[in-house]
Amino acid sequence: MNSRIHSGIGMTSQRTRDRLVLRLQEKGIRDPAVLSVMRSIPRHLFVDEALASRAYEDTALPIGHGQTISQPYVVACMTEALLAAGPCRKVLEIGTGCGYQTAVLARLAGEVYSIERIAPLLRQARILLRELGLYNLHLKIGDGAGGWKQSAPYDGILVAAAAEEIPEQLLVQLSEGGRLVIPVTAANGVQELMRVTRCGNEYHCETLDFVKFVPLVRDRP
Ligand code: SAH
């Protein structure tokens, strides 16, 4: 068992986490379930020990391999957008990274499927998520832009890396009324956080915010 799980002193304590949640509320996050889950998940365990004291600042932080743990506000915003129309039984996440967003989803959805293309990140995330007692998770290595067909359809799909265009495979793996939340890079380089809702064979698109994500990398088959 990771001894860091049991240490909750100073900058990694509950009080620091409560302050972060207050900041999220000030920035407009309203969903009580999202706020409550983020109040309880120890984000400092998902970053390197040397960065633990910064884990409750509302900022993205490096997690190695040129990747970042998403900013808490962005995690809250994406989760809220995914759950706005009601609870999700099955959620697919693309870009597990360190697993923090995965943990948030696992506490709010029935089953979470998550795909990461960098093996050492997935390995570490798998260990930590298990140590935190989250078992309603299915993790796999690969290019998540193709989705995870065997377990489709999903009530929610969350993509944690910016796509040049919305991958069609993700759209077809949405259930009726299902929602895809994804950052999309426009021609001018600006990234828009989009929510796409499936209504039969139609897809309704909304822009939620402007964001900054690492790129969704496509692996050649
Ligand atoms: N939610 C994660 C975000 C990590 S950054 C966290 O907070 O830690 C985005 C992640 O997406 C990176 O780990 C990157 O390796 C992964 N990624 C990028 N392109 C991908 C792809 N095509 N398939 C799966 N994962 C991808």
Side-chain angles (χ1 to χ4, degrees), residues 10-175:
M11 290 305 286
T12 58
S13 70
Q14 185 60 52
R15 220 158 9 116
T16 334
R17 229 162 16 240
D18 291 345
R19 271 201 299 273
L20 170 64
V21 167
L22 270 180
R23 214 162 313 134
L24 297 178
Q25 281 177 297
E26 281 162 15
K27 286 184 162 185
I29 304 299
R30 290 280 165 267
D31 188 326
V34 174
L35 293 166
S36 155
V37 162
M38 291 188 66
R39 192 175 284 119
S40 73
I41 296 179
R43 188 171 185 260
H44 64 280
L45 298 179
F46 291 84
V47 296
D48 190 88
E49 238 166 312
L51 291 171
S53 64
R54 301 192 55 203
Y56 299 106
E57 292 174 18
D58 188 19
T59 178
L61 292 169
I63 54 171
H65 308 274
Q67 308 302 320
T68 51
I69 177 173
S70 305
Q71 180 192 351
Y73 171 72
V74 174
V75 170
C77 186
M78 290 177 90
T79 311
E80 196 172 60
L82 202 72
L83 300 175
C88 289
R89 202 174 58 79
K90 227 196 280 179
V91 168
L92 173 66
E93 177 192 37
I94 313 302
T96 319
C98 66
Y100 177 73
Q101 170 83 72
T102 323
V104 171
L105 292 172
R107 294 276 306 276
L108 294 165
E111 293 290 318
V112 177
Y113 294 78
S114 185
I115 311 175
E116 169 58 53
R117 58 178 291 281
I118 300 178
L121 285 178
L122 189 71
R123 206 174 306 128
Q124 251 183 309
R126 193 188 291 281
I127 294 169
L128 180 53
L129 291 165
R130 198 162 293 165
E131 282 176 348
L132 290 172
L134 299 166
Y135 299 115
N136 55 334
L137 290 170
H138 311 268
L139 307 176
K140 81 167 179 181
I141 195 80
D143 177 356
W148 191 331
K149 271 193 206 138
Q150 292 82 347
S151 310
Y154 303 96
D155 310 311
I157 301 180
L158 188 155
V159 183
E164 310 248 300
E165 52 189 37
I166 298 177
E168 199 189 327
Q169 275 307 309
L170 298 184
L171 293 175
V172 301
Q173 290 177 32
L174 282 174
S175 63

